[in-house]
Amino acid sequence: MRMSIILTLCALLLLGACSRVKVEGPEGFAKQRARGDYRALSPEGMLFRVRTEKNYPRKDLIFWKQALRRHLTDEGYHLLDEGEAFSTERHGGILYEWAVPYAESDYIFLTALVPMGGRIIIVEAAGEHSLYALHRRSMRKSLETISRRF
Amino acid sequence: MMSRTVFSRFGHIPAGHRWRVCLFIPQVLLFLTLLVLLTGPHMLHAENYMSRTMVMQVMVADPEVTADRMVEWIEGRGGYYIYKSPDLITIRISMENLEGLRLFTEGEAEQVVSVAFEAQDLRGSIITLQSGIVSREEILERNLRYLRNADVEGTLAIEREVTRLLKEIEDLKGRLRRLENDIRFARAEIYLSFMEQTLPQTIPSSFTWINSIDFYGFVEGGYVP
């Protein structure tokens, strides 16, 4: 009896850790099985990933967007524009796009974050700039559908 | 009758001096007109001592096609290119078309990485060159005057001096022409790809989750086209 309770609790904890995010993937992307994260691939193989991290120390969007921007700029990423704010059903988020040289080409790295209570939803996508431009609108639309699954 | 009416306004001026007053007004007007005519062009010229440069970094779908389209656009507006490759195009274009070029480039680009404008005041350089030319021309003229009365040895010495002065004057005039061209035509350097050669480096953050944001880790964790 005690063993079954422990197992049930473990299973619940595992489920909680794995499926913390709900999102409608970008149009035309194929959803990929992934533990915990949401992953989708474009027909060309461009990855769109949504994951969660613990909001620790617990801070709001203003704090985290400054921290992320500062950190990636210090690392040498080149920020395009000034970042774009967006809203999900209940929360606000920020989208940053970074230019990065990779494999003798120009890539764009998308980073978006949405603090939701004790968790931070992190979205990442990257692709060669022409390919990125092709899917940007659908990825941008997808960001607004992010919510937490409890 | 009419002149009497006009003069009645200068009642306090002695009758013998009234004609002088009437002539004084057109003289003042003539002086002011001449002043505007003489100082006007200088004032305009003073504003045109600025040389401007625009540096843009953009990402385009097909750099070669974009470069060709840009050349077509600038040539249609009296500009020209001095270097063209799939990575970079260097353009000279009139000042008034510089903003149009920026808008056109933005329209052609998938992504504008950066735009920067620079301006340089060439007044000092131009005045230095102009005074250098004038002083050398004066020395040249003086040397040519001495040439008439010089003996053979003196003639040879003056010829050497004249040759040196002519070379210097031509050199200064060439530099002046280049600066005048810099004022007339803005310079635009348009990079058609992200030319940053330094790759991002990993710097540890105090916030654990921020350390997990890494482009290379992300793209190399899966297939990225």
Side-chain angles (χ1 to χ4, degrees):
Chain A
M1 180 65 182
R2 190 180 287 172
M3 194 64 180
S4 62
I5 292 168
I6 292 166
L7 282 171
T8 312
L9 282 170
C10 286
L12 283 169
L13 278 171
L14 197 66
L15 273 172
C18 294
S19 306
R20 287 197 173 109
V21 67
K22 191 180 161 191
V23 60
E24 283 176 29
E27 199 182 329
F29 278 54
K31 191 179 171 184
Q32 205 184 27
R33 275 170 181 264
R35 194 178 291 174
D37 301 345
Y38 173 89
R39 293 165 69 97
L41 287 167
S42 75
E44 302 84 4
M46 183 175 158
L47 178 63
F48 177 86
R49 181 173 76 178
V50 187
R51 61 192 173 94
T52 72
E53 289 282 350
K54 199 174 176 185
N55 186 354
Y56 181 81
R58 193 157 174 160
K59 297 301 284 182
D60 59 4
L61 177 66
I62 296 168
F63 179 89
W64 286 126
K65 76 177 187 184
Q66 285 176 357
L68 178 66
R69 182 179 170 156
R70 176 72 184 265
H71 179 73
L72 291 186
T73 306
D74 287 350
E75 283 197 320
Y77 290 84
H78 186 99
L79 181 63
L80 300 168
D81 300 324
E82 284 301 300
E84 192 181 333
F86 64 92
S87 296
T88 64
E89 201 178 6
R90 290 182 182 177
H91 301 87
I94 186 78
L95 158 70
Y96 287 126
E97 287 161 310
W98 310 86
V100 192
Y102 182 69
E104 293 178 9
S105 192
D106 301 324
Y107 274 64
I108 296 179
F109 181 35
L110 176 151
T111 56
L113 61 98
V114 191
M116 291 185 181
R119 308 292 296 180
I120 300 172
I121 311 291
I122 297 160
V123 186
E124 293 150 292
E128 192 274 327
H129 70 91
S130 294
L131 187 62
Y132 181 90
L134 191 70
H135 295 297
R136 190 190 185 278
R137 187 178 287 184
S138 62
M139 290 191 295
R140 174 70 183 76
K141 204 174 165 187
S142 180
L143 294 178
E144 291 169 6
T145 68
I146 294 170
S147 62
R148 262 188 79 190
R149 184 185 282 170
F150 295 96
Chain B
M1 180 67 185
M2 192 180 164
S3 61
R4 222 176 250 181
T5 315
V6 172
F7 290 148
S8 67
R9 292 171 193 269
F10 306 111
H12 61 285
I13 299 169
H17 293 280
R18 284 174 189 168
W19 279 107
R20 286 183 189 171
V21 171
C22 285
L23 284 171
F24 178 71
I25 295 164
Q27 278 174 351
V28 169
L29 288 172
L30 185 67
F31 173 74
L32 289 172
T33 312
L34 283 169
L35 194 71
V36 168
L37 284 172
L38 288 169
T39 58
H42 291 294
M43 295 294 280
L44 286 172
H45 198 58
E47 287 170 9
N48 287 333
Y49 276 117
M50 299 304 284
S51 152
R52 287 184 170 80
T53 305
M54 177 178 77
V55 180
M56 275 184 97
Q57 270 192 8
V58 292
M59 290 179 182
V60 294
D62 190 333
E64 282 185 37
V65 171
T66 306
D68 289 341
R69 280 175 54 81
M70 292 186 84
V71 167
E72 196 182 318
W73 191 89
I74 54 162
E75 285 179 348
R77 282 154 187 83
Y80 59 97
Y81 72 89
I82 45 181
Y83 179 78
K84 181 165 83 88
S85 78
D87 294 327
L88 169 68
I89 177 162
T90 307
I91 292 163
R92 301 307 301 262
I93 195 158
S94 61
M95 293 290 183
E96 57 267 28
N97 281 314
L98 191 62
E99 181 60 15
L101 175 66
R102 184 183 69 84
L103 295 172
F104 177 77
T105 311
E106 280 183 1
E108 289 289 308
E110 282 178 353
Q111 188 75 53
V112 178
V113 178
S114 64
V115 187
F117 287 92
E118 285 171 19
Q120 191 186 358
D121 191 350
L122 300 177
R123 190 189 313 253
S125 308
I126 286 177
I127 290 168
T128 307
L129 288 172
Q130 282 172 338
S131 58
I133 292 167
V134 169
S135 63
R136 278 164 183 79
E137 280 176 345
E138 280 171 7
I139 300 167
L140 180 68
E141 204 181 313
R142 212 180 306 145
N143 277 326
L144 290 172
R145 256 188 273 126
Y146 293 148
L147 195 63
R148 289 173 202 153
N149 304 320
D151 55 9
V152 178
E153 202 175 315
T155 304
L156 287 171
I158 290 170
E159 268 184 7
R160 273 197 300 275
E161 181 68 6
V162 165
T163 309
R164 187 184 65 81
L165 283 167
L166 284 172
K167 191 174 171 297
E168 281 181 12
I169 290 167
E170 280 311 305
D171 178 52
L172 292 173
K173 280 184 176 174
R175 283 158 63 187
L176 185 63
R177 276 196 296 272
R178 205 182 68 203
L179 291 183
E180 283 168 350
N181 195 52
D182 285 347
I183 291 167
R184 206 161 44 249
F185 288 97
R187 183 187 173 92
E189 285 177 16
I190 297 163
Y191 293 90
L192 299 171
S193 65
F194 182 58
M195 298 301 285
E196 191 68 62
Q197 294 302 314
T198 51
L199 302 175
Q201 292 176 333
T202 305
I203 298 170
S205 169
S206 308
F207 306 113
T208 317
W209 73 264
I210 286 185
N211 286 318
S212 69
I213 308 270
D214 173 45
F215 169 79
Y216 297 101
F218 177 74
V219 296
E220 281 157 16
Y223 169 65
V224 171

